[in-house]
């Protein structure tokens, strides 16, 4: 008769999940995060786009994000949204934005409510804003049209945060610059570094371009003709670059764009809502694939960035996204910290 053992096998070190520290009060009594409660520069403000943020405001968010990450088990964090509620409105699918906003609110002592809906169909966007402001402390929205987020902000007397629109993805860019600082800053500064973006000019590239131009980081976009950034964003970036000292440039040749870059970034060729164009886009963007040959044009220690989700084999190869220089999961992790910083500062 076969003996069935009920004893559980001891886990090998590789199988063991690391024990999780509990959130604890700072043993010294004064938390290195306590200043966040007194910081009112962004309190009550909307985060609609990078376009509306000053360099000082961006630096504040990045500084708080880094401190929240460094002190992630400090119980002071649970005071930053204590008893507060965030409504999350999603017109499009999400993994990272959905999970990091909800986990972020939980970690800050608050709560998040998720609603998947097409705004403006069941009732006007203005009425949605006027209802939500009576119940919750903040709204995060992922929408097709950027004007939907602007309409929510105009009609809700609580902070509205853009979780991606057709124009901007500010939370992504802030997490990405947190990642860039972690990997590429010299004496805490990104000045003089070059970020190259190859592929479609979209919400993600717009927010990266505006952040780089605001902070004085050199930025080059490599994209096909007719897929360049829209004129208003480009003009705004050039204006910001004059003040910050950033060099902003564009090339239709991906190798020229990537030449000498410290970081190379790509995103999907077909954004959510453009699915009908995907076959045509696959042909147009094929020369802009982020592969090993294109990475050779960048600095040898250049990091690889992607906001995810990635379409492996299209805009990026497995070899590049899985290479030791890839920081894509650091970017994903930093969505949590950057958004917690935003929530802690605006709610
Ligand atoms: N990068 C990003 O916004 O991912 P999700 O679409 O999964 O939220
Ligand atoms: N540009 C992509 C980003 C996804 C996070 C999109 O809008 O679908």
């Amino acid at each position: 008769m076969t003996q069935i053992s009920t004893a559980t096998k001891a886990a090998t070190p590789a199988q063991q999940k690391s024990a999780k520290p509990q959130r604890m009060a700072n043993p010294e009594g004064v938390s290195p995060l306590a200043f966040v409660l007194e910081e009112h520069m962004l309190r009550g403000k909307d985060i609609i786009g990078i376009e509306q943020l000053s360099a000082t405001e961006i630096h504040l968010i990045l500084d708080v994000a880094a401190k929240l990450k460094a002190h992630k088990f400090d119980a002071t964090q649970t005071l930053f949204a204590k008893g507060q509620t965030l409504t999350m409105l999603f017109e499009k699918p999400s993994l990272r934005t959905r999970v990091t906003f909800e986990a972020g609110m939980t970690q800050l002592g608050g709560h998040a409510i998720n609603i998947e809906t097409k705004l403006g169909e069941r009732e006007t966007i203005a009425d949605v804003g006027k209802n939500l402001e009576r119940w919750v402390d903040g709204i995060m929205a992922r929408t097709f049209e950027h004007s939907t987020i602007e309409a929510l902000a105009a009609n809700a007397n609580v902070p509205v945060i853009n979780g991606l629109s057709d124009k901007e993805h500010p939370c992504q860019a802030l997490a990405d610059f947190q990642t860039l600082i972690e990997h590429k800053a010299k004496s805490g500064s990104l000045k003089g570094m070059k970020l190259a973006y190859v592929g479609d000019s979209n919400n993600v590239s717009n927010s990266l371009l505006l952040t780089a131009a605001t902070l004085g980081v050199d930025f080059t976009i490599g994209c096909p003709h007719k897929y360049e950034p829209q004129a208003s964003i480009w003009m705004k970036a050039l204006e910001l670059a004059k003040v910050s000292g950033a060099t902003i440039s564009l090339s239709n040749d991906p190798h020229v764009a990537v030449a000498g870059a410290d970081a190379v970034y790509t995103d999907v060729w077909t954004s959510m809502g453009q699915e009908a164009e995907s076959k045509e886009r696959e042909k147009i963007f094929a020369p802009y694939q982020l592969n090993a040959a294109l990475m050779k044009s960048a600095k040898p220690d250049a990091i690889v960035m992607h906001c995810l989700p990635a379409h492996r084999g299209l805009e990026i190869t497995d070899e590049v996204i899985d290479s030791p220089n890839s920081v894509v999961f650091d970017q994903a992790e930093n969505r949590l910290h950057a958004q917690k910083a935003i929530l802690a500062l605006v709610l």
Side-chain angles (χ1 to χ4, degrees):
M1 205 172 124
T2 316
Q3 288 275 328
I4 299 171
S5 166
T6 50
T8 44
K9 265 194 186 167
T12 65
Q15 286 168 330
Q16 268 167 0
K17 308 247 174 176
S18 56
K20 223 174 196 180
Q22 297 300 306
R23 278 172 215 291
M24 289 168 65
N26 194 276
E28 282 85 41
V30 181
S31 164
L33 300 173
F35 77 97
V36 176
L37 291 165
E38 310 300 323
E39 176 51 73
H40 294 299
M41 191 193 295
L42 284 166
R43 196 71 61 204
K45 288 211 177 163
D46 301 313
I47 306 292
I48 294 180
I50 299 293
E51 201 172 0
Q52 287 81 29
L53 292 174
S54 67
T56 309
E57 290 168 334
I58 293 174
H59 281 302
L60 173 64
I61 295 168
L62 294 175
D63 178 48
V64 171
K67 291 195 167 98
L68 288 172
K69 186 173 183 176
H71 303 283
K72 63 181 168 188
F73 298 110
D74 185 325
T76 311
Q77 295 207 6
T78 60
L79 301 176
F80 296 155
K82 196 175 166 68
Q84 290 186 301
T85 307
L86 178 78
T87 298
M88 308 188 292
L89 301 170
F90 281 99
E91 290 190 328
K92 297 173 179 172
S94 170
L95 174 69
R96 282 145 288 272
T97 307
R98 164 83 174 80
V99 174
T100 51
F101 266 106
E102 182 162 347
M105 278 303 286
T106 305
Q107 291 171 21
L108 298 178
H111 177 70
I113 299 171
N114 188 49
I115 301 176
E116 287 166 25
T117 185
K118 173 81 184 76
L119 290 158
E121 267 183 12
R122 189 160 176 257
E123 57 192 312
T124 67
I125 297 163
D127 283 355
V128 172
K130 286 174 183 166
N131 275 270
L132 289 175
E133 70 171 17
R134 303 285 181 116
W135 306 317
V136 300
D137 306 280
I139 301 167
M140 189 284 298
R142 165 166 287 195
T143 64
F144 283 96
E145 285 163 37
H146 190 71
S147 60
T148 303
I149 294 185
E150 291 173 327
L152 278 170
N155 287 284
N157 194 24
V158 291
V160 171
I161 303 167
N162 180 352
L164 180 146
S165 67
D166 58 356
K167 184 176 179 188
E168 279 221 43
H169 197 359
C171 299
Q172 181 69 53
L174 291 163
D176 295 340
F177 273 76
Q178 183 179 358
T179 312
L180 279 169
I181 291 168
E182 289 169 355
H183 289 275
K184 288 288 165 189
K186 293 197 177 87
S187 317
S189 167
L190 289 175
K191 292 240 177 191
M193 76 141 278
K194 175 178 168 177
L195 170 61
Y197 176 97
V198 280
D200 187 28
S201 302
N202 59 18
N203 39 19
V204 170
S205 65
N206 285 345
S207 291
L208 290 171
L209 165 64
L210 291 168
T211 312
T214 306
L215 298 187
V217 173
D218 296 343
F219 184 91
T220 307
I221 186 159
C223 61
H225 179 48
K226 295 197 181 141
Y227 290 86
E228 290 96 352
Q230 61 202 77
S232 59
I233 302 264
W234 191 250
M235 297 313 287
K236 175 78 187 178
L238 292 179
E239 217 177 273
L240 290 164
K242 259 191 222 158
V243 178
S244 70
T247 303
I248 303 295
S249 60
L250 185 150
S251 175
N252 296 131
D253 181 334
H255 287 275
V256 171
V258 165
D262 298 281
V264 187
Y265 199 122
T266 193
D267 183 17
V268 293
W269 294 336
T270 302
S271 284
M272 292 179 277
Q274 299 173 328
E275 287 78 5
E277 300 169 26
S278 67
K279 285 290 150 220
E280 186 193 350
R281 284 173 169 267
E282 279 177 28
K283 281 189 213 130
I284 294 167
F285 286 99
Y288 297 83
Q289 184 187 62
L290 188 51
N291 52 33
L294 186 52
M295 280 307 292
K296 283 214 171 80
S297 292
K299 284 189 182 154
D301 64 346
I303 55 171
V304 173
M305 303 183 79
H306 193 308
C307 58
L308 305 179
H311 294 150
R312 289 161 175 262
L314 290 179
E315 77 272 2
I316 194 161
T317 59
D318 283 335
E319 186 186 9
V320 169
I321 199 169
D322 296 329
S323 70
N325 286 9
S326 172
V327 298
V328 300
F329 299 113
D330 291 346
Q331 293 173 256
E333 176 180 345
N334 286 339
R335 292 293 304 278
L336 176 68
H337 307 299
Q339 289 159 198
K340 281 170 69 181
I342 293 171
L343 293 165
L345 290 165
V346 305
L347 293 187

